[in-house]
């Protein structure tokens, strides 16, 4: 079996995400910028049916909460090819690069990060990826970057701030379309370290519900992160019509 | 007729070597192995001969001062019989040697940790059952039932991975090996870390200061073969430093 294919790529349930099966057993995304790693992650090259090489990048769940949520079996992340995504708390852009892979050339990722230090890496990453728009601003003040951001389909937030729900709500009121969706990673310790994690999650969910969000699921990110939860839901969802029950 | 049979080319059966799985059983009775056996026998014979000759030609007046200190201990030649083994080095020397050992173990532990860091990301146990908690929010019971059923029936892999059966089997095997390697490396890193702790404790015990044993952890006192338990706990007397 020498010289043959050493890996097989399967489609994941979520569109735009793949699973590499070989010596690896990993989530991967199709690399938009072939030949380059963003944060030293492994790349896997596969030859397609028509003989063209396609490159995938391994998505590390220990470094990305979104990957941890996907591996944890989240029902829907709403981020798919062509999506417009507002990414709050982009940090150095490791996860952003994978989101950019998922949405592809037809989608857009607006990546907001406050810290200049990690923002530098983010900008460098965005230079090579045309669908990423880096914004070095405080996510608490969406008006400061309202000229840069259009309406989005999904907000992903990983800001680890006590007022995270408020930050997400502010941004959603500005940029998220009606019937759009949100994905939030909550770190219990960052919000309140004195109460059990479960209570913090419940409180955050309540806060979100008050802001016209409608959470649909919540899952913890074990074993990749401790006391983290990922909450997914809709925003200003249209009223459900009662189905006519034939009598 | 018989000459005709002889004319047909027969397959030449060659002597086979000992298979590697039976190597422990030693050499075989065949010429190739006989050569090896004979060579070994003769080498040993020659060595004995040389040693006998040396003993016969020994100069009985030969003397070195080191001979005064060396001799036999339990039938084995020892460079110094006048000093017990544990007194051969000063505490400072011992400390230095311990330090070198610790540095080596630390290096090895680091190597293992790095290796784990390198292979961990691409081994994500995708097919394993999830250990996390999944909460679904629903408007009413009917909605909840619908959602739960939807989640339950979804599997991670949506298929699309085309490949022959042989290839699949090969990949599965490779993956299993990779998982095993990861597990072994993790275990080894853990053991090395424990060992490092114990050795560091031993080194500290050789150092200065008044100390007192406050808690004994059985089997945790730096035996190389045992790396399970934790170190015993010591308390150093506080010393005023200028």
């Amino acid at each position: 079996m020498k010289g043959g294919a050493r890996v097989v790529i399967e489609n994941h349930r979520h569109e735009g995400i793949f699973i590499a099966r070989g010596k690896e057993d990993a989530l991967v995304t199709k690399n938009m910028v072939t030949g380059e790693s963003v944060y030293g992650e492994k790349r896997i090259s596969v030859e397609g049916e028509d003989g063209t090489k396609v490159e995938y990048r391994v998505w590390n769940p220990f470094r990305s909460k979104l990957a941890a949520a996907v591996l944890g079996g989240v029902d829907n992340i709403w981020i798919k090819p062509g999506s417009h995504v507002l990414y709050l708390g982009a940090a150095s852009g490791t996860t952003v690069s994978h989101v950019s892979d998922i949405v592809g050339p037809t989608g857009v990722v607006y990546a907001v990060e406050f810290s200049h230090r990690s923002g530098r890496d983010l900008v460098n990453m965005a230079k090579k990826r045309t669908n990423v728009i880096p914004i070095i601003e405080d996510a608490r003040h969406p008006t400061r970057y309202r000229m840069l951001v259009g309406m989005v389909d999904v907000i992903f937030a990983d800001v680890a701030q006590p007022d995270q729900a408020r930050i997400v709500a502010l941004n959603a009121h500005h940029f998220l379309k009606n019937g759009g969706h949100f994905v939030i990673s909550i770190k219990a310790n960052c919000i309140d370290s004195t109460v059990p994690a479960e209570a913090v999650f419940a409180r955050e969910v309540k806060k979100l519900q008050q802001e016209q969000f409608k959470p649909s699921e919540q899952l913890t990110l074990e074993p990749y992160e401790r006391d983290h939860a990922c909450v997914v839901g809709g925003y200003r969802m249209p009223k459900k019509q009662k189905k006519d029950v034939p009598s | 007729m018989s000459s005709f049979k002889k004319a047909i080319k027969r397959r030449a059966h060659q002597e086979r070597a000992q298979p590697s799985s039976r190597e422990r059983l030693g050499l075989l009775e065949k010429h190739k192995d006989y050569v090896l056996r004979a060579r070994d026998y003769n080498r040993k014979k020659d060595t004995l001969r040389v040693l006998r000759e040396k003993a016969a030609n020994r100069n009985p007046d030969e003397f070195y001062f080191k001979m005064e200190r060396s001799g036999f201990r339990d039938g084995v030649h020892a460079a110094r019989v006048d000093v017990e083994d544990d007194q051969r080095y000063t505490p400072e020397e011992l400390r230095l040697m311990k330090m070198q050992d610790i540095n080596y173990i630390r290096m090895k532990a680091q190597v293992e940790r790095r290796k784990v860091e390198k292979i961990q990301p691409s081994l994500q146990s995708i097919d394993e059952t999830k250990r996390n908690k999944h909460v679904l929010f629903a408007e009413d019971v009917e909605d909840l039932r619908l959602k739960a059923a939807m989640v339950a029936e979804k599997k991670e892999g949506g298929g699309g991975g085309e490949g022959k059966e042989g290839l699949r089997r090969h990949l599965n095997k490779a993956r299993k090996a990779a998982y095993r390697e990861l597990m072994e490396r993790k275990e080894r890193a853990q053991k090395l870390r424990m060992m490092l702790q114990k050795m560091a404790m031993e080194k500290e015990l050789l150092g200065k200061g008044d100390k007192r044993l406050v808690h004994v952890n059985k089997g945790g006192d730096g035996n190389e073969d045992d790396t399970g338990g934790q170190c015993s706990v010591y308390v150093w007397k506080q010393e005023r430093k200028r």
Side-chain angles (χ1 to χ4, degrees):
Chain A
M1 209 57 223
K2 264 170 201 154
R6 261 172 280 162
V7 69
V8 171
I9 301 288
E10 292 175 6
N11 295 327
H12 194 274
R13 180 158 58 79
H14 302 301
E15 217 180 325
I17 304 177
F18 305 89
I19 304 173
R21 308 262 193 194
K23 210 159 80 74
E24 305 85 5
D25 187 17
L27 281 190
V28 292
T29 54
K30 199 180 271 178
N31 195 359
M32 259 190 51
V33 190
T34 32
E36 284 205 42
S37 293
V38 174
Y39 54 101
E41 74 281 25
K42 196 174 175 184
R43 280 173 287 130
I44 298 170
S45 211
V46 175
E47 204 159 306
E49 291 111 67
D50 50 346
T52 50
K53 287 243 171 175
V54 185
E55 196 174 70
Y56 295 87
R57 293 188 303 133
V58 170
W59 197 1
N60 186 351
F62 289 96
R63 296 190 59 167
S64 166
K65 273 142 214 155
L66 190 55
V70 168
L71 276 181
V74 71
D75 187 35
N76 204 334
I77 53 167
W78 302 107
I79 299 171
K80 55 177 186 285
S83 293
H84 291 204
V85 182
L86 177 60
Y87 193 120
L88 305 176
S92 306
T94 53
T95 308
V96 175
S97 71
H98 287 287
V99 173
S100 128
D101 282 351
I102 295 171
V103 300
T106 52
V108 185
V109 185
Y110 303 98
V112 183
E113 170 59 41
F114 188 36
S115 154
H116 279 271
R117 187 180 288 251
S118 44
R120 204 160 44 214
D121 296 336
L122 177 66
V123 170
N124 282 335
M125 188 272 295
K127 275 179 193 163
K128 297 192 184 108
R129 291 168 182 271
T130 45
N131 61 357
V132 178
I133 296 170
I135 299 165
I136 312 299
E137 265 301 349
D138 192 348
R140 285 193 185 84
H141 306 290
T143 43
R144 289 191 190 155
Y145 50 80
R146 68 181 190 283
M147 306 301 284
L148 292 168
V149 181
M151 287 305 265
V152 297
D153 306 316
V154 191
I155 287 188
F156 179 88
D158 178 17
V159 282
Q161 292 291 325
D163 57 341
Q164 184 175 27
R166 199 182 65 89
I167 294 172
V168 176
L170 269 176
N171 282 281
H173 298 333
H174 272 83
F175 309 115
L176 190 56
K177 72 172 186 189
N178 288 358
H181 292 89
F182 69 93
V183 181
I184 304 179
S185 147
I186 299 170
K187 182 179 175 184
N189 269 349
C190 275
I191 289 169
D192 191 345
S193 54
T194 59
V195 291
E198 284 299 321
V200 177
F201 301 150
R203 215 152 63 192
E204 287 303 297
V205 166
K206 187 145 281 171
K207 273 190 223 167
L208 288 170
Q209 276 162 343
Q210 284 161 1
E211 298 273 10
Q212 291 179 300
F213 289 113
K214 194 172 155 212
S216 63
E217 59 180 323
Q218 166 197 325
L219 80 168
T220 57
L221 300 185
E222 262 96 45
Y224 308 105
E225 306 277 352
R226 193 194 286 166
D227 289 344
H228 277 67
C230 183
V231 180
V232 183
Y235 175 67
R236 285 186 181 157
M237 297 307 278
K239 280 271 187 302
K240 221 188 216 167
Q241 270 141 21
K242 277 265 185 225
K243 267 187 211 152
D244 300 328
V245 184
S247 51
Chain B
M1 206 56 194
S2 107
S3 61
F4 182 66
K5 256 186 204 162
K6 278 181 194 164
I8 299 170
K9 211 164 190 191
R10 294 217 190 88
R11 189 197 183 112
H13 287 284
Q14 290 177 323
E15 279 186 322
R16 296 191 306 167
Q18 181 81 281
S20 61
S21 60
R22 296 173 56 83
E23 229 161 26
R24 73 205 144 79
L25 298 170
L27 299 170
L28 293 173
E29 279 192 39
K30 57 174 199 155
H31 185 260
K32 222 176 180 181
D33 283 0
Y34 160 74
V35 171
L36 295 177
R37 248 178 289 134
R39 206 177 280 156
D40 181 50
Y41 170 72
N42 282 321
R43 206 188 55 235
K44 281 174 184 161
K45 203 171 73 182
D46 284 348
T47 311
L48 281 176
R49 188 180 48 77
V50 168
L51 286 174
R52 280 208 192 90
E53 261 172 32
K54 271 190 181 168
N57 296 337
R58 191 171 76 96
N59 176 8
D61 296 331
E62 188 173 338
F63 175 76
Y64 300 104
F65 283 103
K66 198 178 179 186
M67 288 177 182
E68 290 183 334
R69 292 189 302 263
S70 60
F72 288 93
R73 188 188 291 153
D74 300 332
V76 179
H77 185 264
R80 296 191 72 165
V81 279
D82 54 340
V83 192
E84 287 300 314
D85 273 342
D86 51 350
Q87 290 167 1
R88 218 180 309 159
Y89 301 104
T90 61
E92 286 78 46
E93 280 174 326
L94 272 179
R95 233 166 102 78
L96 180 69
M97 278 150 68
K98 283 240 156 77
M99 199 62 224
Q100 285 164 346
D101 290 353
I102 290 174
N103 284 341
Y104 178 72
I105 297 288
R106 180 174 298 139
M107 188 266 284
K108 282 291 176 193
Q110 194 139 324
V111 166
E112 288 299 329
R113 220 190 46 228
R114 287 271 156 79
K115 282 264 167 65
V116 168
E117 266 170 29
K118 202 167 174 192
I119 52 181
Q120 175 99 286
S122 54
L123 291 170
Q124 303 174 353
S125 316
I126 286 180
D127 295 326
E128 266 181 30
T129 46
K130 312 286 185 262
R131 279 183 283 162
N132 56 1
K133 200 171 156 194
H134 199 164
V135 181
L136 296 171
F137 301 99
E139 283 169 5
D140 46 43
V141 182
E142 191 59 27
D143 190 21
L144 180 70
R145 210 167 285 152
L146 212 71
K147 273 187 175 171
M150 224 156 60
V151 169
E153 78 180 20
K154 275 178 182 167
K155 277 196 303 193
E156 294 312 315
E162 65 290 324
K164 291 188 287 285
E165 183 56 33
L167 174 64
R168 283 271 167 195
R169 210 165 333 117
H170 167 72
L171 292 183
N172 281 345
K173 207 169 150 195
R175 184 159 58 243
K176 218 180 248 175
Y179 272 115
R180 195 171 49 238
E181 186 194 343
L182 176 64
M183 200 191 65
E184 276 167 6
R185 284 201 188 280
K186 270 184 179 168
E187 251 168 42
R188 211 173 305 143
Q190 168 69 13
K191 275 185 183 167
L192 284 169
R193 239 190 337 267
M194 291 302 300
M195 200 190 277
L196 198 62
Q197 239 176 38
K198 277 168 198 163
M199 292 171 85
M201 173 61 92
E202 255 180 79
K203 199 200 106 204
E204 287 303 318
L205 289 177
L206 281 174
K208 283 187 207 161
D210 250 356
K211 58 229 151 210
R212 184 165 56 86
L213 181 65
V214 290
H215 178 71
V216 184
N217 271 324
K218 282 244 174 80
D221 291 326
N223 296 328
E224 277 81 358
D225 52 330
D226 165 73
T227 47
Q230 288 191 312
C231 295
S232 294
V233 182
Y234 291 84
V235 167
W236 266 257
K237 198 171 174 187
Q238 277 203 337
E239 201 176 309
R240 188 180 158 180
K241 297 210 170 66
R242 273 185 299 154

